[in-house]
Amino acid sequence: MNVAAAAVGATVINIGSSNSQFVQQVKASVEPNNVDCSEERKKSLRARYFYGIIFLITNLIAWFIRDYGQSVFPPIYYEKACGIGGSDCFHTLGVLRVSLGCFIFFFFMFLTTFSTTKLYQACSKWHSGWWALKFVLLAVSMVVPFFLPPEFIQIYGEVARIGAGIFLLLQLISVIEFIRWWNKHWARDEQSKQSCSVALFTSTVFYVASICGIGSMYYFYARKLSCSLNIFFITWTAILLLVMMAMSLHSKVNRGLLSSGIMAAYVIFLCWSAIRSEPADEKCNIQKKKTGHDWTNILGFLIAIGAVVMATFSTGIDSKSFQFRKDEAKLDDDIRYNYGFFHMVFSLGAMYFAMLFISWNLGNSARKWSIDVGWTSTWVKIINEWFAASIYMWKLIAPVVKQPKVINHEDSTRQNNHSPSP
C-alpha cells in the first residue's frame, strides 16, 4: 500500500508539474501578444498628433502662399494662370492648390485605412508607421497640384465649398454630442449634492457669460438703429437662448440648465464670430481692423489657425458620435478610434481651411494676416448658428415626440363597463 501510495503521489506531482509547465507556456505565448498590442496601441495614439502637425504645416503653407507667394514664384507662373494684374486670382489659386494637396494625402490615407479594425492588421501598422514613405507621399501630393491647369483648380474650389459645409456639419454634431456627454456626466448622480451644486454653478457661469456676450455685442456692433442687420442677428440669438432654456426646463423634457447653458454660450460665440467676419469698413463695427499688421492681428490670426487645427483634430477622433451602435465592447486588439473616419475628417478639413483663407469666395482673396472675413463668411457662420440651435432643440424634443403612447387598460375597461348597452 505504501508503494502504491508513493506511485500515485509521484504521478500527481508529475501531472501537477506538467500542468504548471503548460500554464507557463501559455502565459509565455500570450504575454508577447499583449505587449505587442500595447505597443501598437501607443503608436496608434501617438500617430494622431503627427497627423495634426502635418495638417498645421499645410495650413501655414497655404497662408504663406496666399500672402507672400508672389515674392517666391516667378511672375511668369501666375501671369499665365491669372493674367497681368490677377494677384487675387493667384492668391486664391495658391490656397486651393495647397488645399488640394492636403486633401489628396488624407484621402489616400482614408482609402488605405477605412477597413481597419484590429491593431495587428497591416493597415493599422501603415497608419501608425512608415513615416518616411508618408512624408514622400505628402511632398508629392503637395507638388502635383501646382502643375494642374487653373480650370481644374476652380472646379476643386466649387467642390471644396460642399466639403467644407459637410465638415461644419460633422463638427456641429460632435460639439452637440460633447455637450450631451458633459451634461450626462454631471447629472449622473442625482442624489449627490456636490454633483448638483457643481452643475448648478457651471450652468450659472455659462448663462452669465451668455448674457454678458449679448450685451457686449449690442454695445460694440449695434449701437445705431441703422445697424439693423446686426440688431437682427443679436436679437434672434437672444431669442434662441430663451427658447432653448425654456425647452430644457419643460416638464416633459427635463434636461436641466447645464446643457442649454453650454449650448447658449456656443451659439453666442458663433454669432459674435459671424459679426466679426463682416468687412472692416462697416460703420456698425466700432472695433475696426487697422490697415497695418500689429501684434493683435497676428496673434488673432495664429489663434484662428490653431482653432481650425484643434476643431479638425477633435472631430476626427470623435467617431463614436456618428455610430448607430455604441454599446460594443472594446477588445485589447481593437483600434481605439476609427482610422478611416479620422482621415476623412482631415480631408474635409483641408477644404474647410481653404474656404477660410479665401473667405468662401473664389473670385477674391483676403488681405494679409486675415482669415474668414467677408459677407459670405458672415452668412455661413450665421446659418451654422441657426442650424446648431435647430439640431439641439430637435435633440431635446425628439425623445418626447418619438415616445410611444401608453394606453391605460384600466381606464379603457372602466369606459367599456360604463358605456350603455344597446
PDB file of all heavy atoms in Angstrom, residues 276 279-281 285-298 367-370 373:
ATOM      1  N   ARG A 276     -18.027  89.540 -36.380  1.00  0.00           N
ATOM      2  CA  ARG A 276     -16.626  89.912 -36.521  1.00  0.00           C
ATOM      3  C   ARG A 276     -16.103  89.669 -37.934  1.00  0.00           C
ATOM      4  O   ARG A 276     -15.105  90.264 -38.335  1.00  0.00           O
ATOM      5  CB  ARG A 276     -15.769  89.128 -35.525  1.00  0.00           C
ATOM      6  CG  ARG A 276     -15.925  89.549 -34.087  1.00  0.00           C
ATOM      7  CD  ARG A 276     -15.152  90.793 -33.772  1.00  0.00           C
ATOM      8  NE  ARG A 276     -13.716  90.620 -33.936  1.00  0.00           N
ATOM      9  CZ  ARG A 276     -12.818  91.597 -33.790  1.00  0.00           C
ATOM     10  NH1 ARG A 276     -13.230  92.809 -33.490  1.00  0.00           N
ATOM     11  NH2 ARG A 276     -11.532  91.351 -33.946  1.00  0.00           N
ATOM     12  N   PRO A 279     -17.011  92.876 -43.216  1.00  0.00           N
ATOM     13  CA  PRO A 279     -15.882  93.673 -43.746  1.00  0.00           C
ATOM     14  C   PRO A 279     -15.475  94.788 -42.799  1.00  0.00           C
ATOM     15  O   PRO A 279     -16.294  95.338 -42.057  1.00  0.00           O
ATOM     16  CB  PRO A 279     -16.433  94.223 -45.065  1.00  0.00           C
ATOM     17  CG  PRO A 279     -17.480  93.240 -45.468  1.00  0.00           C
ATOM     18  CD  PRO A 279     -18.091  92.733 -44.191  1.00  0.00           C
ATOM     19  N   ALA A 280     -14.194  95.122 -42.820  1.00  0.00           N
ATOM     20  CA  ALA A 280     -13.631  96.055 -41.836  1.00  0.00           C
ATOM     21  C   ALA A 280     -14.113  97.480 -42.015  1.00  0.00           C
ATOM     22  O   ALA A 280     -14.029  98.276 -41.088  1.00  0.00           O
ATOM     23  CB  ALA A 280     -12.103  96.028 -41.924  1.00  0.00           C
ATOM     24  N   ASP A 281     -14.633  97.837 -43.191  1.00  0.00           N
ATOM     25  CA  ASP A 281     -15.047  99.215 -43.413  1.00  0.00           C
ATOM     26  C   ASP A 281     -16.496  99.474 -43.029  1.00  0.00           C
ATOM     27  O   ASP A 281     -17.051 100.532 -43.332  1.00  0.00           O
ATOM     28  CB  ASP A 281     -14.847  99.588 -44.887  1.00  0.00           C
ATOM     29  CG  ASP A 281     -15.588  98.639 -45.821  1.00  0.00           C
ATOM     30  OD1 ASP A 281     -16.114  97.628 -45.333  1.00  0.00           O
ATOM     31  OD2 ASP A 281     -15.636  98.928 -47.024  1.00  0.00           O
ATOM     32  N   ASN A 285     -19.293  98.466 -36.908  1.00  0.00           N
ATOM     33  CA  ASN A 285     -18.256  97.802 -36.131  1.00  0.00           C
ATOM     34  C   ASN A 285     -17.299  98.863 -35.620  1.00  0.00           C
ATOM     35  O   ASN A 285     -16.469  99.388 -36.361  1.00  0.00           O
ATOM     36  CB  ASN A 285     -17.518  96.784 -37.000  1.00  0.00           C
ATOM     37  CG  ASN A 285     -16.512  95.968 -36.212  1.00  0.00           C
ATOM     38  OD1 ASN A 285     -16.345  96.180 -35.016  1.00  0.00           O
ATOM     39  ND2 ASN A 285     -15.846  95.052 -36.885  1.00  0.00           N
ATOM     40  N   ILE A 286     -17.414  99.203 -34.322  1.00  0.00           N
ATOM     41  CA  ILE A 286     -16.530 100.241 -33.782  1.00  0.00           C
ATOM     42  C   ILE A 286     -15.126  99.706 -33.555  1.00  0.00           C
ATOM     43  O   ILE A 286     -14.188 100.478 -33.380  1.00  0.00           O
ATOM     44  CB  ILE A 286     -17.090 100.821 -32.469  1.00  0.00           C
ATOM     45  CG1 ILE A 286     -17.075  99.759 -31.365  1.00  0.00           C
ATOM     46  CG2 ILE A 286     -18.488 101.346 -32.659  1.00  0.00           C
ATOM     47  CD1 ILE A 286     -17.444 100.310 -30.000  1.00  0.00           C
ATOM     48  N   GLN A 287     -14.978  98.374 -33.541  1.00  0.00           N
ATOM     49  CA  GLN A 287     -13.648  97.774 -33.418  1.00  0.00           C
ATOM     50  C   GLN A 287     -13.110  97.503 -34.818  1.00  0.00           C
ATOM     51  O   GLN A 287     -12.913  96.365 -35.228  1.00  0.00           O
ATOM     52  CB  GLN A 287     -13.715  96.492 -32.604  1.00  0.00           C
ATOM     53  CG  GLN A 287     -14.075  96.713 -31.160  1.00  0.00           C
ATOM     54  CD  GLN A 287     -14.109  95.410 -30.386  1.00  0.00           C
ATOM     55  OE1 GLN A 287     -14.210  94.334 -30.952  1.00  0.00           O
ATOM     56  NE2 GLN A 287     -14.008  95.511 -29.082  1.00  0.00           N
ATOM     57  N   LYS A 288     -12.885  98.557 -35.572  1.00  0.00           N
ATOM     58  CA  LYS A 288     -12.429  98.393 -36.945  1.00  0.00           C
ATOM     59  C   LYS A 288     -11.025  97.833 -36.976  1.00  0.00           C
ATOM     60  O   LYS A 288     -10.182  98.171 -36.149  1.00  0.00           O
ATOM     61  CB  LYS A 288     -12.458  99.739 -37.687  1.00  0.00           C
ATOM     62  CG  LYS A 288     -13.863 100.273 -37.907  1.00  0.00           C
ATOM     63  CD  LYS A 288     -13.826 101.579 -38.687  1.00  0.00           C
ATOM     64  CE  LYS A 288     -15.237 102.115 -38.931  1.00  0.00           C
ATOM     65  NZ  LYS A 288     -15.222 103.382 -39.677  1.00  0.00           N
ATOM     66  N   LYS A 289     -10.804  97.010 -37.946  1.00  0.00           N
ATOM     67  CA  LYS A 289      -9.475  96.435 -38.103  1.00  0.00           C
ATOM     68  C   LYS A 289      -8.557  97.485 -38.704  1.00  0.00           C
ATOM     69  O   LYS A 289      -8.920  98.196 -39.636  1.00  0.00           O
ATOM     70  CB  LYS A 289      -9.516  95.196 -39.005  1.00  0.00           C
ATOM     71  CG  LYS A 289     -10.374  94.087 -38.441  1.00  0.00           C
ATOM     72  CD  LYS A 289     -10.386  92.932 -39.393  1.00  0.00           C
ATOM     73  CE  LYS A 289     -11.174  91.774 -38.807  1.00  0.00           C
ATOM     74  NZ  LYS A 289     -12.588  92.115 -38.603  1.00  0.00           N
ATOM     75  N   LYS A 290      -7.365  97.569 -38.193  1.00  0.00           N
ATOM     76  CA  LYS A 290      -6.400  98.525 -38.681  1.00  0.00           C
ATOM     77  C   LYS A 290      -5.809  98.054 -39.996  1.00  0.00           C
ATOM     78  O   LYS A 290      -5.761  96.873 -40.295  1.00  0.00           O
ATOM     79  CB  LYS A 290      -5.291  98.719 -37.648  1.00  0.00           C
ATOM     80  CG  LYS A 290      -5.808  99.239 -36.304  1.00  0.00           C
ATOM     81  CD  LYS A 290      -4.666  99.391 -35.322  1.00  0.00           C
ATOM     82  CE  LYS A 290      -5.183  99.881 -33.970  1.00  0.00           C
ATOM     83  NZ  LYS A 290      -4.086 100.030 -32.981  1.00  0.00           N
ATOM     84  N   THR A 291      -5.356  99.043 -40.774  1.00  0.00           N
ATOM     85  CA  THR A 291      -4.749  98.687 -42.055  1.00  0.00           C
ATOM     86  C   THR A 291      -3.388  98.050 -41.861  1.00  0.00           C
ATOM     87  O   THR A 291      -2.939  97.262 -42.681  1.00  0.00           O
ATOM     88  CB  THR A 291      -4.612  99.943 -42.923  1.00  0.00           C
ATOM     89  OG1 THR A 291      -3.861 100.934 -42.188  1.00  0.00           O
ATOM     90  CG2 THR A 291      -5.991 100.521 -43.243  1.00  0.00           C
ATOM     91  N   GLY A 292      -2.710  98.361 -40.771  1.00  0.00           N
ATOM     92  CA  GLY A 292      -1.420  97.741 -40.516  1.00  0.00           C
ATOM     93  C   GLY A 292      -1.577  96.357 -39.924  1.00  0.00           C
ATOM     94  O   GLY A 292      -2.665  95.890 -39.641  1.00  0.00           O
ATOM     95  N   HIS A 293      -0.448  95.730 -39.710  1.00  0.00           N
ATOM     96  CA  HIS A 293      -0.443  94.374 -39.187  1.00  0.00           C
ATOM     97  C   HIS A 293       0.267  94.388 -37.830  1.00  0.00           C
ATOM     98  O   HIS A 293       1.431  94.031 -37.726  1.00  0.00           O
ATOM     99  CB  HIS A 293       0.259  93.420 -40.157  1.00  0.00           C
ATOM    100  CG  HIS A 293      -0.238  93.558 -41.571  1.00  0.00           C
ATOM    101  ND1 HIS A 293      -1.562  93.414 -41.903  1.00  0.00           N
ATOM    102  CD2 HIS A 293       0.425  93.828 -42.711  1.00  0.00           C
ATOM    103  CE1 HIS A 293      -1.703  93.581 -43.213  1.00  0.00           C
ATOM    104  NE2 HIS A 293      -0.519  93.839 -43.716  1.00  0.00           N
ATOM    105  N   ASP A 294      -0.472  94.833 -36.784  1.00  0.00           N
ATOM    106  CA  ASP A 294       0.131  94.877 -35.462  1.00  0.00           C
ATOM    107  C   ASP A 294       0.063  93.501 -34.827  1.00  0.00           C
ATOM    108  O   ASP A 294      -0.435  92.539 -35.399  1.00  0.00           O
ATOM    109  CB  ASP A 294      -0.556  95.940 -34.600  1.00  0.00           C
ATOM    110  CG  ASP A 294      -2.054  95.691 -34.471  1.00  0.00           C
ATOM    111  OD1 ASP A 294      -2.515  94.651 -35.004  1.00  0.00           O
ATOM    112  OD2 ASP A 294      -2.748  96.506 -33.857  1.00  0.00           O
ATOM    113  N   TRP A 295       0.570  93.420 -33.616  1.00  0.00           N
ATOM    114  CA  TRP A 295       0.686  92.118 -32.962  1.00  0.00           C
ATOM    115  C   TRP A 295      -0.680  91.525 -32.640  1.00  0.00           C
ATOM    116  O   TRP A 295      -0.822  90.302 -32.585  1.00  0.00           O
ATOM    117  CB  TRP A 295       1.513  92.269 -31.688  1.00  0.00           C
ATOM    118  CG  TRP A 295       0.855  93.082 -30.608  1.00  0.00           C
ATOM    119  CD1 TRP A 295       0.924  94.421 -30.414  1.00  0.00           C
ATOM    120  CD2 TRP A 295       0.005  92.566 -29.572  1.00  0.00           C
ATOM    121  NE1 TRP A 295       0.169  94.791 -29.330  1.00  0.00           N
ATOM    122  CE2 TRP A 295      -0.387  93.673 -28.783  1.00  0.00           C
ATOM    123  CE3 TRP A 295      -0.455  91.296 -29.219  1.00  0.00           C
ATOM    124  CZ2 TRP A 295      -1.222  93.559 -27.688  1.00  0.00           C
ATOM    125  CZ3 TRP A 295      -1.283  91.164 -28.124  1.00  0.00           C
ATOM    126  CH2 TRP A 295      -1.664  92.275 -27.370  1.00  0.00           C
ATOM    127  N   THR A 296      -1.727  92.360 -32.443  1.00  0.00           N
ATOM    128  CA  THR A 296      -3.054  91.805 -32.157  1.00  0.00           C
ATOM    129  C   THR A 296      -3.627  91.074 -33.372  1.00  0.00           C
ATOM    130  O   THR A 296      -4.233  90.004 -33.238  1.00  0.00           O
ATOM    131  CB  THR A 296      -4.002  92.929 -31.724  1.00  0.00           C
ATOM    132  OG1 THR A 296      -4.041  93.950 -32.743  1.00  0.00           O
ATOM    133  CG2 THR A 296      -3.539  93.549 -30.416  1.00  0.00           C
ATOM    134  N   ASN A 297      -3.440  91.651 -34.569  1.00  0.00           N
ATOM    135  CA  ASN A 297      -3.904  90.975 -35.772  1.00  0.00           C
ATOM    136  C   ASN A 297      -3.159  89.660 -35.991  1.00  0.00           C
ATOM    137  O   ASN A 297      -3.747  88.631 -36.348  1.00  0.00           O
ATOM    138  CB  ASN A 297      -3.721  91.879 -37.000  1.00  0.00           C
ATOM    139  CG  ASN A 297      -4.673  93.058 -36.988  1.00  0.00           C
ATOM    140  OD1 ASN A 297      -5.739  93.002 -36.389  1.00  0.00           O
ATOM    141  ND2 ASN A 297      -4.274  94.135 -37.634  1.00  0.00           N
ATOM    142  N   ILE A 298      -1.845  89.700 -35.782  1.00  0.00           N
ATOM    143  CA  ILE A 298      -1.037  88.496 -35.990  1.00  0.00           C
ATOM    144  C   ILE A 298      -1.411  87.419 -34.969  1.00  0.00           C
ATOM    145  O   ILE A 298      -1.573  86.243 -35.315  1.00  0.00           O
ATOM    146  CB  ILE A 298       0.459  88.843 -35.896  1.00  0.00           C
ATOM    147  CG1 ILE A 298       0.852  89.805 -37.025  1.00  0.00           C
ATOM    148  CG2 ILE A 298       1.315  87.590 -35.962  1.00  0.00           C
ATOM    149  CD1 ILE A 298       2.285  90.309 -36.939  1.00  0.00           C
ATOM    150  N   ARG A 367      -7.160  89.888 -47.409  1.00  0.00           N
ATOM    151  CA  ARG A 367      -5.922  90.638 -47.233  1.00  0.00           C
ATOM    152  C   ARG A 367      -4.993  89.902 -46.278  1.00  0.00           C
ATOM    153  O   ARG A 367      -5.380  88.930 -45.625  1.00  0.00           O
ATOM    154  CB  ARG A 367      -6.231  92.041 -46.720  1.00  0.00           C
ATOM    155  CG  ARG A 367      -6.895  92.079 -45.359  1.00  0.00           C
ATOM    156  CD  ARG A 367      -7.293  93.488 -44.981  1.00  0.00           C
ATOM    157  NE  ARG A 367      -7.881  93.539 -43.652  1.00  0.00           N
ATOM    158  CZ  ARG A 367      -7.183  93.643 -42.540  1.00  0.00           C
ATOM    159  NH1 ARG A 367      -5.865  93.707 -42.601  1.00  0.00           N
ATOM    160  NH2 ARG A 367      -7.777  93.685 -41.375  1.00  0.00           N
ATOM    161  N   LYS A 368      -3.774  90.404 -46.168  1.00  0.00           N
ATOM    162  CA  LYS A 368      -2.756  89.734 -45.372  1.00  0.00           C
ATOM    163  C   LYS A 368      -3.156  89.688 -43.898  1.00  0.00           C
ATOM    164  O   LYS A 368      -3.785  90.587 -43.372  1.00  0.00           O
ATOM    165  CB  LYS A 368      -1.406  90.449 -45.520  1.00  0.00           C
ATOM    166  CG  LYS A 368      -0.780  90.303 -46.909  1.00  0.00           C
ATOM    167  CD  LYS A 368       0.583  90.969 -46.956  1.00  0.00           C
ATOM    168  CE  LYS A 368       1.248  90.772 -48.322  1.00  0.00           C
ATOM    169  NZ  LYS A 368       2.578  91.405 -48.385  1.00  0.00           N
ATOM    170  N   TRP A 369      -2.734  88.609 -43.249  1.00  0.00           N
ATOM    171  CA  TRP A 369      -2.962  88.371 -41.829  1.00  0.00           C
ATOM    172  C   TRP A 369      -4.449  88.449 -41.467  1.00  0.00           C
ATOM    173  O   TRP A 369      -4.830  88.931 -40.400  1.00  0.00           O
ATOM    174  CB  TRP A 369      -2.166  89.353 -40.970  1.00  0.00           C
ATOM    175  CG  TRP A 369      -0.703  89.164 -41.067  1.00  0.00           C
ATOM    176  CD1 TRP A 369       0.184  89.921 -41.787  1.00  0.00           C
ATOM    177  CD2 TRP A 369       0.076  88.141 -40.437  1.00  0.00           C
ATOM    178  NE1 TRP A 369       1.452  89.437 -41.644  1.00  0.00           N
ATOM    179  CE2 TRP A 369       1.434  88.342 -40.824  1.00  0.00           C
ATOM    180  CE3 TRP A 369      -0.233  87.077 -39.596  1.00  0.00           C
ATOM    181  CZ2 TRP A 369       2.453  87.521 -40.392  1.00  0.00           C
ATOM    182  CZ3 TRP A 369       0.789  86.250 -39.167  1.00  0.00           C
ATOM    183  CH2 TRP A 369       2.115  86.488 -39.562  1.00  0.00           C
ATOM    184  N   SER A 370      -5.295  87.989 -42.364  1.00  0.00           N
ATOM    185  CA  SER A 370      -6.721  87.924 -42.074  1.00  0.00           C
ATOM    186  C   SER A 370      -7.228  86.538 -42.437  1.00  0.00           C
ATOM    187  O   SER A 370      -6.639  85.842 -43.267  1.00  0.00           O
ATOM    188  CB  SER A 370      -7.499  88.989 -42.861  1.00  0.00           C
ATOM    189  OG  SER A 370      -7.426  88.729 -44.254  1.00  0.00           O
ATOM    190  N   VAL A 373     -12.945  86.548 -43.450  1.00  0.00           N
ATOM    191  CA  VAL A 373     -13.516  87.888 -43.385  1.00  0.00           C
ATOM    192  C   VAL A 373     -14.279  88.144 -44.677  1.00  0.00           C
ATOM    193  O   VAL A 373     -13.768  87.909 -45.769  1.00  0.00           O
ATOM    194  CB  VAL A 373     -12.425  88.955 -43.184  1.00  0.00           C
ATOM    195  CG1 VAL A 373     -13.030  90.353 -43.215  1.00  0.00           C
ATOM    196  CG2 VAL A 373     -11.685  88.724 -41.873  1.00  0.00           C
TER     197      VAL A 373
END
